[in-house]
């Protein structure tokens, strides 16, 4: 047994007062969970402490919360580990010492109903419904179940592992800036159907998600959702898969998101560093490769970005006016390592998936043959 102090952000709407912090002392084995700590405080000190939970085994997705600023599941976070993190954070900010309070807050990017209970309907479930989370097959349904090859389902097993806890939504930086963003959980769910061989509306789904200004190109690759997800779904990876498929289908999006990605890759290949002026030009006039041949839209967009460029100069991000001229940015003197990465990627199609690791074709076939699913998540890693 060890003693811990949990510091909970509380909000009791019936009191008419704003949120406040309250500390509780709890006495638990370090291997027990933060949720166990909260339930002990509720039992011993204050029955009005509101926290949502059910399975206490990282299955139902009810107990999403922020622990020491990180979104996750209360029942999957050991209180001993939470204490170590609290002490580490305190030491990094010069407060030092041991036995710092473990800070527990409701999930972010969602309205708080009471204490740690958030309104999942307004920001999570509404967005899940937005992506039409059911199969859209064409033709007459079969007499019995649909039969699919096991290999054809492997690509979507990772997105199927989602337990709808909302931790990724809570941690998403793009949603903070744009609450309209469809978000990591709903887009991971969208990939579950886009990648399903039984679905007949893949193109329509991809077009819809690319065309929406709050859709797949609104993600900024910050990796927060990957870190937060307790089930290894890696929502950002699913969003990248949606983008790749949309690009392969030749779908143009209003924000030139796909062209922006292609431009990014080409510029790094050519220069080894990012020439942001060239990036802007190439994003709106793709395929020009350093020569200024912009479309009307590109001119409009580049003129519109002048205030941003001026801000860049003022803040020191862009050091000289010459950097505003596409193509003037310097090139890395030795590009060999960068070129080697491109050559490797060209030769090897690599998949990163909960169940697939390594090079395409090898483990997939091998594992399917053996009936083995590989996982990086100890909860789901098993041979079937
Ligand atoms: S990677 Fe994208 S979806 Fe995930 S948290 Fe960051 S911005 Fe949001
Ligand atoms: S993707 Fe992960 S973090 Fe997001 S809702 Fe699903 S299980 Fe939770
Ligand atoms: S209580 Fe079910 S996931 Fe935590």
């Amino acid at each position: 047994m060890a003693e811990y102090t949990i510091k909970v952000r509380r909000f009791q709407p019936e009191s008419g007062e704003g949120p406040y912090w309250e500390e509780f002392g709890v006495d638990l084995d370090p291997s027990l969970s933060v949720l166990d700590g909260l339930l002990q405080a509720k039992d011993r000190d204050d029955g009005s402490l509101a926290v949502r939970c059910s399975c206490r085994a990282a299955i139902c997705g009810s107990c999403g919360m922020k622990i020491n600023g990180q979104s996750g599941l209360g029942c999957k976070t050991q209180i001993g580990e939470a204490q170590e993190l609290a002490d580490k954070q305190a030491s990094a900010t010069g407060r030092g010492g041991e036995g710092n309070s473990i800070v527990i807050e409701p999930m972010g990017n969602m309205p708080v109903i009471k204490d740690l209970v958030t309104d999942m309907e307004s920001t999570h479930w509404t967005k899940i419904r937005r992506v039409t989370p059911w199969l859209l097959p064409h033709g007459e349904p079969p007499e019995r179940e649909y039969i699919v090859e096991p290999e054809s389902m492997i690509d979507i097993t990772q997105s199927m592992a989602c337990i709808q806890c909302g931790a990724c939504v809570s941690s998403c930086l793009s949603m903070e800036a744009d609450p309209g963003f469809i978000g990591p959980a709903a887009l991971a769910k969208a990939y579950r159907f886009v990648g399903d061989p039984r679905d007949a509306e893949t193109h329509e789904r991809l077009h819809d998600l690319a065309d929406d200004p709050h859709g797949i190109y609104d993600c900024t690759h910050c990796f927060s959702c990957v870190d937060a997800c307790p089930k290894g779904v890696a929502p950002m990876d699913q969003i990248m898969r949606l983008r790749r498929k949309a690009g392969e289908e030749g779908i143009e999006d209003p924000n030139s998101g796909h062209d922006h990605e292609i431009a990014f890759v080409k510029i790094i290949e050519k220069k080894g560093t990012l020439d942001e002026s060239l990036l802007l030009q190439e994003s709106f006039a793709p395929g020009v490769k350093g020569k200024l041949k912009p479309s009307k839209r590109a001119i409009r967009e580049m003129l519109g970005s002048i205030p941003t460029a001026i801000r860049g100069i003022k803040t020191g991000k862009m050091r000289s006016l010459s950097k505003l001229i596409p193509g003037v940015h310097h090139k890395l003197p030795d590009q060999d390592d960068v070129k080697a990465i491109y050559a490797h990627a060209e030769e090897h199609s690599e998949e990163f998936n909960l169940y697939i690791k390594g090079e395409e074709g090898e483990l997939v076939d091998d594992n399917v043959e053996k009936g083995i699913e590989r996982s990086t998540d100890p909860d789901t890693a098993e041979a079937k």
Side-chain angles (χ1 to χ4, degrees), residues 103-165:
V103 179
I104 306 172
E105 299 166 82
M107 286 197 284
N109 292 328
M110 304 177 198
V112 178
I113 296 174
K114 183 173 180 176
D115 294 336
L116 300 173
V117 177
T118 51
D119 174 11
M120 296 279 285
E121 175 59 28
S122 62
T123 39
H124 181 71
W125 294 114
T126 306
K127 289 180 183 196
I128 294 285
R129 285 194 292 275
R130 156 73 184 81
V131 302
T132 321
W134 53 84
L135 274 180
L136 296 170
H138 285 175
E140 283 297 308
E143 217 166 275
R144 292 176 57 113
E145 68 272 26
Y146 287 94
I147 308 284
V148 290
E149 293 297 322
E151 299 93 307
S152 64
M153 298 297 281
I154 287 178
D155 193 34
I156 56 170
T157 46
Q158 191 172 17
S159 51
M160 287 164 76
C162 175
I163 55 168
Q164 305 297 342
C165 66

Side-chain angles (χ1 to χ4, degrees), residues 168-169 171-175 181 183-185 187 216 218-226 234-237 239-240 243:
C168 55
V169 173
S171 71
C172 179
L173 301 183
S174 282
M175 281 185 105
F181 176 36
L187 289 172
I216 47 179
D218 216 8
C219 164
T220 57
H221 308 185
C222 73
F223 280 84
S224 286
C225 56
V226 179
M236 188 189 78
D237 292 0
I239 297 172
M240 294 309 119
R243 288 188 185 182

Side-chain angles (χ1 to χ4, degrees), residues 35 52-63 73-75 163:
L35 177 63
R52 200 185 261 142
C53 64
S54 179
C55 70
R56 299 172 70 178
I59 293 167
C60 72
S62 305
C63 66
L73 295 178
C75 71
I163 55 168

